[in-house]
Amino acid sequence: MMTVTMSDCVRSMLSDWEAKGAAGDDVEIELSRQFEELTADVISHTAFGSSYKEGRQVFLAQRELQFLAFSTAFNVQIPGFRYLPTEKNLRTWNVDKQVRTMLMDIIKTRLANKDTAGYGNDLLGLMLEACTPEHGEAPILTMDEIIDECKTFFFAGHDTTSHLLTWASFLLSTHPEWQDKLREEVRRECGNGEEEELTGDMLNKLKLVNMFLLETLRLYGPVPALQRRTSSDLDLGGIHVPEGAILTIAITSIHRDKEVWGEDAGEFKPERFENGVTKAAKHPNALLSFSSGPRSCIGQNFAMMEAKAVVAMMLQKFSLELSPKYVHAPMDVITVRPRHVPMILKPAGCPVLSETLVPTTKVAAYVTADLTRQHPPTRTNADKYPPPSALDSHLSPLTKPQRNQFDFNPARSQSNQLEDYRPESTEREREREREGVTAAMGVAWMVAAAVVAVLAPWAFNALVHLVWRPYAITRKLAAQGVAGPGYRFFSGNLGDIKRLRAEGAGVTLDVGDHDFIPMVQPHFRRWISLYGRTFVYWTGARPNVCVADVNVVKQVLFDRTGLYPKNLMNPHISRLLGKGLVLTDGDDWKRHRKVVHPAFSMDKLKWLDSKSDGDTTYSIQFFDMADDDDDDVRLRSAKLAKSVNDVEVELSSRFEELTADVISHTAFGSSYIQGKQVFLAQRELQFLAFSTVFDVQIPAFRYLPTDKNLKTWKLDKQVRSMLMDIIKTRLANKDTAGYGNDLLGLMLEACAPEHGETPLLTMDEIIDECKTFFFAGHDTTSHLLTWASFLLSTHPEWQDRLREEVRRECGDEVPTGDMLNKLKLVNMFLLETLRLYGPVSAIQRKASSDLDLGGVQVPEGAILTIPIATIHRDKEVWGEDAGEFRPERFENGVTRAAKHPNALLSFSSGPRSCIGQNFAMIEAKAVVGMILQRFTLELSPKYVHAPMDVLTLRPRHGLPMLLKRVGGGVTH
């Protein structure tokens, strides 16, 4: 049916051409205008059930809007200016209003006839049918959205196809050999047009025509460029691109790239498409005339079918010859078009047609002049007042040029012009002065109005963001029973949080007291007691919903649909961790996990276990001997050898070095000494990041050269450079030693270019993963070991029980994986350590949209904070002994240790739980087991129990520990 409609429209146009050639004289026809009317007629019939004549005013108005839009394409876009009543804005608003009114009339006519004729089977009918109120559901599209879709298809449905036909005709006329080949194919498959109607099956057989049109699209695609915008900071081909950057895809340039299309990229060669689009170039997606991917043009098949039909029917009756008047000067007015295309048409076996139509350049000149409002250069009267033409009859009041708007009379002499302004009296001079002052004041008011226009939207947005939105969210949540501390302008509750933390900073605890919440999370302790487990507080103008109910926590953490992505508001934390597995979301996270996950499979962990034991054996020697490269340890070793008393060692720093050494060996094939600068730089980044956690996050501030930003950028650059050196060393040795079996090796192997596929990770993403695991792979485990040693020293009865179990299962040997699996008491002890002193005291997610959270409607963008340390001390979850150290609660496993199976959150939970948790537990068991084989731990009297949170939980004053070799002898 669609093919029949197209054929009818084309036949009407060709009949007009034949009528103009009836006299037998030569005829010159300006084709671009003809094709614009034709494609407008086709889209009117097929999509809106009308005709070009009925929708003529819509097309003319849309064309004026097109030129208006293009006239601003290379202007600085100042948001406030769109609201100013400038001449161009007023014109745009007026034309747009007329277009919407005319489209609404077409829709009303269709709705008025729906009872008798239905909604119709065209595009408009389908939209109205889908949004009909009688279906009893909420309409999929509003009436305004339907009108917007009509505008889209009224413009895109004819403008791009008309230019494709225009350029195809140009190329047919300049390549007569191809015109003959295509005519021969058309006659063979479709006949001569006198008897058979053109069908879809016929069009599908026109292979040469298809190749010709594809090459036309390559060389003269209607759209020369398209743009996208980055929704966040992201990696683009190995380049970190900031949020909000415009990505411009230069289609025309790509279509002429010799590296993509070959040395003949600038030539017209339809045969390159002989084997299809995907094999025409060196890249299967090189042709971008209809864009590509999921957002490619939805009407591309319609456009190609229409173009084939027009070319075929035109070639059945006419041969095309380019007029001598033609000037090859393509121009871009959002779409690429010739300035004019006069064409000589010759019917097969008939004389040359006769008649000359005026080209469209006059129209373009009028519109451009009307838009720019600039006086044209001096012209002759003949230029000023062009003769009436056939085109004038097609100009609506919207597009007809008003000559008195921009014409002036160059014939007037300067003396005559000066005469008009010669003063005749003093009073006249004063009048002119007053007029000058008035004009100056007018300019000043215009400047002031422009400034206000710029500032007004910004001020309005600030008012909405900082005042109205917090107020509205507070009211909405309060209506649902969710209260919280009141919002304070700009800073929210950050001042309260800082004050409460400052009050707790000087507090010290008894070594038997494990409740550090008043020091680390005092705001949660206070606000939960006042408002319940779910409440709202404010970090700046951003709402934070505290989620301390374990059932709601499960809803968030076990979600697999992407409703609760990671919160990336703090750029300093992103610098620290890198945008690796921990911070990515969606498809990026799946891609990263696909590469990283094999490194933590059980088979791989057995191999890592053997390396970890070796590293632990080597590193544990800091208890026994000095390192030749460490003067401090050498002195301590000499002291240990001579002393008969207990020796004090600061364990927390030693565990940091140990876990850094283990992750260096097992994941990156290096050592702590080699990667020492990386760890030191990352530690500094960690403290820098934490210093900004309770500041108002203003996005633009991340780009300012403040002292903190400059320091962060410098450290991040150093870390990336050092990691790149490690990677380069691995790549340099790959031919002899391969990529390696560790984490780095697996990442490089998965992204190796020799696989012939697109790498799963870019080099920048590999570096980000290295940053993630360099930090997360040692920092959290080191603090687990620190707090485990603290609890061993304060609970000697458990130290004895664990030592007995280690000796029973491992003897004096280096523990193996099988041995470690049998250390049930050690496992229980570590789990209880993680409950009371988990490395991470809180985690956050973000609401990706307005959603239901445990029966509460939470607004899009709200931060969901899960206070792990607080939940781990909740008596309703863990029982009345929640604040006590009782490893036996894990005797029957993690899921039965509390009243909720997912109450232990030290490694998070759900599909985004820590990928390295098994590795961390194996390492911790190995270290604890080997320490207990050799030493007895006794807490130093110098120790001050003051846990502090610097992204991870650590003892404020370190962990000084008295070490005594098992059996009573001191270390030596």
Side-chain angles (χ1 to χ4, degrees):
M1 178 180 176
M2 196 172 292
T3 309
V4 173
T5 304
M6 291 177 182
S7 299
D8 290 341
C9 295
V10 177
R11 192 176 293 108
S12 175
M13 179 186 73
L14 298 181
S15 297
D16 290 342
W17 293 2
E18 288 177 319
K20 289 169 183 175
D25 298 327
D26 292 352
V27 62
E28 184 179 280
I29 293 182
E30 202 290 300
L31 288 188
S32 61
R33 174 69 69 184
Q34 296 280 315
F35 288 139
E36 284 182 0
E37 294 185 2
L38 168 65
T39 54
D41 200 24
V42 170
I43 199 68
S44 296
H45 277 91
T46 56
F48 303 101
S50 60
S51 66
Y52 170 67
K53 292 180 180 179
E54 291 176 286
R56 177 180 172 191
Q57 296 303 317
V58 177
F59 288 109
L60 293 174
Q62 288 269 82
R63 185 180 303 157
E64 184 172 1
L65 282 175
Q66 179 182 2
F67 278 81
L68 279 166
F70 184 75
S71 71
T72 67
F74 300 105
N75 294 343
V76 177
Q77 300 300 319
I78 303 175
F81 275 27
R82 72 183 67 177
Y83 305 110
L84 288 178
T86 64
E87 185 175 0
K88 192 173 292 185
N89 284 347
L90 289 171
R91 187 63 183 156
T92 300
W93 300 340
N94 184 38
V95 176
D96 182 63
K97 182 179 180 181
Q98 292 182 33
V99 169
R100 301 186 79 86
T101 300
M102 290 184 284
L103 290 173
M104 194 65 225
D105 290 341
I106 294 174
I107 292 172
K108 286 179 178 178
T109 300
R110 183 70 62 91
L111 292 174
N113 298 324
K114 72 179 179 69
D115 293 334
T116 55
Y119 289 103
N121 292 321
D122 51 17
L123 175 65
L124 178 59
L126 292 174
M127 289 194 292
L128 293 175
E129 173 71 22
C131 302
T132 181
E134 53 258 32
H135 288 169
E137 301 176 359
I140 298 175
L141 297 178
T142 65
M143 190 56 70
D144 274 340
E145 288 174 325
I146 291 176
I147 290 175
D148 283 335
E149 289 294 350
C150 291
K151 289 177 68 176
T152 298
F153 285 94
F154 257 107
F155 174 74
H158 92 280
D159 191 76
T160 53
T161 312
S162 72
H163 298 316
L164 168 58
L165 290 170
T166 297
W167 291 116
S169 299
F170 163 73
L171 290 170
L172 283 169
S173 67
T174 55
H175 295 81
E177 74 284 1
W178 272 96
Q179 185 174 167
D180 293 340
K181 289 168 68 174
L182 265 58
R183 182 177 292 105
E184 182 181 347
E185 181 185 57
V186 168
R187 287 177 172 172
R188 181 176 65 251
E189 302 296 344
C190 309
N192 58 12
E194 299 296 335
E195 300 173 356
E196 295 184 75
E197 286 284 345
L198 205 62
T199 65
D201 291 337
M202 292 178 182
L203 295 178
N204 289 334
K205 295 177 181 178
L206 299 179
K207 183 177 179 181
L208 291 178
V209 173
N210 190 65
M211 290 161 51
F212 187 93
L213 291 173
L214 291 174
E215 181 70 344
T216 303
L217 286 169
R218 185 183 73 86
L219 290 176
Y220 294 95
V223 181
L226 55 86
Q227 293 183 326
R228 294 290 187 270
R229 181 168 59 89
T230 57
S231 60
S232 61
D233 294 347
L234 47 79
D235 184 283
L236 185 68
I239 298 173
H240 285 288
V241 179
E243 178 181 357
I246 304 300
L247 310 178
T248 300
I249 301 171
I251 296 176
T252 303
S253 298
I254 293 172
H255 283 179
R256 286 160 175 78
D257 190 338
K258 293 182 179 180
E259 293 186 11
V260 178
W261 294 92
E263 290 301 317
D264 59 356
E267 302 174 18
F268 175 75
K269 289 188 63 184
E271 56 266 27
R272 73 177 78 244
F273 290 98
E274 188 172 5
N275 296 314
V277 173
T278 58
K279 296 182 180 180
K282 298 175 183 179
H283 193 285
N285 304 110
L287 189 68
L288 300 171
S289 306
F290 291 114
S291 186
S292 190
R295 296 297 300 271
S296 60
C297 175
I298 196 172
Q300 57 185 300
N301 292 332
F302 180 92
M304 288 297 287
M305 183 185 295
E306 181 180 356
K308 286 181 186 179
V310 175
V311 169
M313 294 180 69
M314 194 164 56
L315 290 175
Q316 284 175 330
K317 297 195 173 186
F318 297 97
S319 63
L320 284 68
E321 180 180 322
L322 196 63
S323 168
K325 297 178 182 178
Y326 174 74
V327 178
H328 193 38
M331 68 176 189
D332 173 24
V333 188
I334 299 180
T335 49
V336 177
R337 62 187 66 205
R339 293 186 185 276
H340 53 88
V341 188
M343 189 73 66
I344 297 173
L345 303 181
K346 298 179 180 181
C350 296
V352 178
L353 300 180
S354 62
E355 190 172 339
T356 301
L357 298 184
V358 178
T360 58
T361 40
K362 295 293 183 183
V363 178
Y366 290 148
V367 177
T368 305
D370 188 36
L371 297 179
T372 57
R373 301 291 297 160
Q374 295 178 346
H375 291 296
T378 303
R379 298 169 293 175
T380 65
N381 286 335
D383 291 330
K384 248 176 57 181
Y385 305 109
S389 70
L391 288 180
D392 288 335
S393 63
H394 297 298
L395 290 175
S396 72
L398 298 176
T399 57
K400 279 189 178 180
Q402 302 298 318
R403 294 189 177 92
N404 58 1
Q405 290 180 350
F406 54 84
D407 274 345
F408 67 99
N409 189 350
R412 294 186 65 188
S413 66
Q414 291 185 355
S415 59
N416 287 340
Q417 294 179 35
L418 290 172
E419 186 67 30
D420 292 340
Y421 297 100
R422 185 174 296 142
E424 296 180 355
S425 64
T426 305
E427 183 61 31
R428 187 168 180 179
E429 288 181 359
R430 292 196 188 97
E431 182 65 27
R432 289 183 62 193
E433 289 177 2
R434 285 194 293 270
E435 290 176 355
V437 171
T438 303
M441 291 179 63
V443 172
W445 277 109
M446 288 184 64
V447 173
V451 172
V452 170
V454 173
L455 295 179
W458 180 86
F460 177 76
N461 289 335
L463 184 68
V464 169
H465 184 71
L466 297 175
V467 179
W468 181 83
R469 186 171 182 268
Y471 172 76
I473 290 174
T474 300
R475 284 195 60 184
K476 182 178 179 180
L477 292 175
Q480 302 175 74
V482 179
Y487 167 74
R488 288 183 173 84
F489 179 77
F490 187 71
S491 64
N493 304 117
L494 288 172
D496 296 332
I497 295 173
K498 290 179 179 179
R499 177 176 55 79
L500 291 170
R501 286 178 62 87
E503 291 174 359
V507 176
T508 59
L509 303 176
D510 182 79
V511 294
D513 186 354
H514 309 299
D515 185 14
F516 56 77
I517 302 302
M519 306 162 69
V520 174
Q521 295 178 337
H523 49 299
F524 289 128
R525 175 63 57 86
R526 172 169 296 188
W527 292 335
I528 286 176
S529 66
L530 293 174
Y531 309 115
R533 287 181 174 80
T534 301
F535 63 89
V536 62
Y537 67 103
W538 299 84
T539 52
R542 185 174 293 273
N544 278 248
V545 178
C546 175
V547 183
D549 185 310
V550 182
N551 290 303
V552 182
V553 170
K554 180 181 178 182
Q555 176 185 339
V556 173
L557 297 183
F558 279 78
D559 174 72
R560 294 179 180 273
T561 62
L563 289 176
Y564 309 98
K566 295 296 184 78
N567 173 34
L568 301 178
M569 285 298 296
N570 192 313
H572 297 282
I573 293 178
S574 298
R575 296 270 185 184
L576 170 66
L577 292 175
K579 291 186 178 178
L581 195 64
V582 173
L583 295 183
T584 51
D585 285 299
D587 291 338
D588 284 339
W589 175 76
K590 293 176 183 177
R591 182 166 49 85
H592 281 248
R593 185 177 175 83
K594 182 178 181 180
V595 175
V596 172
H597 184 263
F600 295 94
S601 65
M602 291 311 297
D603 290 340
K604 184 62 66 175
L605 287 176
K606 290 179 181 178
W607 177 80
L608 292 176
D609 173 50
S610 64
K611 286 186 65 65
S612 177
D613 289 339
D615 296 329
T616 305
T617 303
Y618 170 77
S619 302
I620 207 77
Q621 292 176 7
F622 68 74
F623 291 117
D624 288 325
M625 64 181 66
D627 187 330
D628 291 338
D629 295 326
D630 191 333
D631 292 337
D632 179 56
V633 179
R634 238 188 354 263
L635 292 172
R636 183 180 295 111
S637 181
K639 181 179 177 181
L640 290 174
K642 296 176 182 178
S643 177
V644 294
N645 299 316
D646 296 345
V647 174
E648 184 178 289
V649 176
E650 203 291 296
L651 286 189
S652 62
S653 61
R654 291 302 185 180
F655 284 136
E656 285 183 358
E657 293 182 8
L658 168 63
T659 54
D661 201 23
V662 170
I663 197 67
S664 295
H665 276 88
T666 55
F668 303 101
S670 62
S671 66
Y672 170 69
I673 295 173
Q674 291 173 294
K676 183 177 181 180
Q677 295 305 315
V678 177
F679 290 109
L680 292 176
Q682 282 210 294
R683 186 179 301 162
E684 193 168 354
L685 279 173
Q686 179 180 2
F687 279 81
L688 279 169
F690 184 74
S691 70
T692 66
V693 166
F694 299 109
D695 293 340
V696 177
Q697 299 299 318
I698 302 174
F701 275 28
R702 71 183 65 181
Y703 304 111
L704 295 180
T706 62
D707 289 342
K708 193 170 291 184
N709 282 347
L710 289 172
K711 185 65 174 174
T712 299
W713 299 340
K714 180 180 178 182
L715 288 169
D716 182 60
K717 184 178 179 180
Q718 291 177 7
V719 169
R720 300 185 79 85
S721 177
M722 291 183 283
L723 291 173
M724 194 66 225
D725 289 340
I726 294 174
I727 292 171
K728 286 179 179 178
T729 301
R730 183 70 64 91
L731 292 174
N733 299 324
K734 73 179 178 68
D735 294 333
T736 55
Y739 288 104
N741 292 319
D742 52 15
L743 174 64
L744 178 58
L746 289 173
M747 289 194 291
L748 293 175
E749 173 70 22
C751 303
E754 54 260 32
H755 289 171
E757 300 176 358
T758 303
L760 289 173
L761 299 180
T762 65
M763 189 56 68
D764 274 337
E765 288 175 325
I766 291 176
I767 290 175
D768 280 335
E769 287 296 354
C770 290
K771 289 176 68 175
T772 297
F773 284 95
F774 254 107
F775 175 76
H778 91 279
D779 191 77
T780 53
T781 312
S782 72
H783 297 317
L784 168 58
L785 290 171
T786 295
W787 292 115
S789 299
F790 164 73
L791 291 170
L792 282 169
S793 67
T794 57
H795 295 82
E797 74 284 3
W798 272 98
Q799 185 175 166
D800 293 338
R801 290 176 66 182
L802 265 58
R803 182 178 292 107
E804 180 182 349
E805 181 183 57
V806 169
R807 284 176 170 171
R808 182 174 67 251
E809 302 297 343
C810 307
D812 294 328
E813 299 177 16
V814 174
T816 64
D818 291 336
M819 293 176 182
L820 295 177
N821 288 335
K822 296 177 182 178
L823 300 180
K824 184 177 179 181
L825 292 178
V826 173
N827 190 64
M828 291 161 50
F829 186 93
L830 291 173
L831 290 174
E832 183 70 345
T833 303
L834 286 168
R835 185 183 73 86
L836 290 176
Y837 295 93
V840 180
S841 58
I843 54 177
Q844 291 185 327
R845 295 289 187 271
K846 185 175 64 172
S848 63
S849 60
D850 295 345
L851 46 80
D852 183 284
L853 185 67
V856 176
Q857 294 296 317
V858 176
E860 178 182 359
I863 304 301
L864 312 177
T865 302
I866 301 171
I868 295 175
T870 298
I871 293 173
H872 283 180
R873 286 160 177 76
D874 190 337
K875 293 182 179 180
E876 292 188 14
V877 177
W878 294 93
E880 290 301 317
D881 59 358
E884 302 174 18
F885 175 76
R886 292 190 65 242
E888 55 267 26
R889 73 176 79 243
F890 291 98
E891 187 173 6
N892 296 314
V894 174
T895 58
R896 298 183 181 180
K899 298 176 183 178
H900 194 286
N902 304 110
L904 188 69
L905 300 170
S906 305
F907 292 113
S908 188
S909 194
R912 296 298 300 268
S913 61
C914 175
I915 196 173
Q917 57 184 300
N918 291 331
F919 179 90
M921 289 298 287
I922 287 174
E923 182 181 357
K925 287 180 186 178
V927 174
V928 169
M930 294 180 72
I931 289 176
L932 291 176
Q933 283 175 329
R934 302 182 183 199
F935 302 100
T936 298
L937 305 178
E938 182 179 327
L939 196 63
S940 169
K942 298 178 182 178
Y943 174 73
V944 178
H945 193 36
M948 64 180 285
D949 178 24
V950 188
L951 297 184
T952 49
L953 188 72
R954 62 186 65 209
R956 182 181 296 274
H957 306 290
L959 181 62
M961 188 70 66
L962 299 177
L963 299 180
K964 185 179 296 185
R965 188 172 283 281
V966 172
V970 297
T971 59
H972 60 277

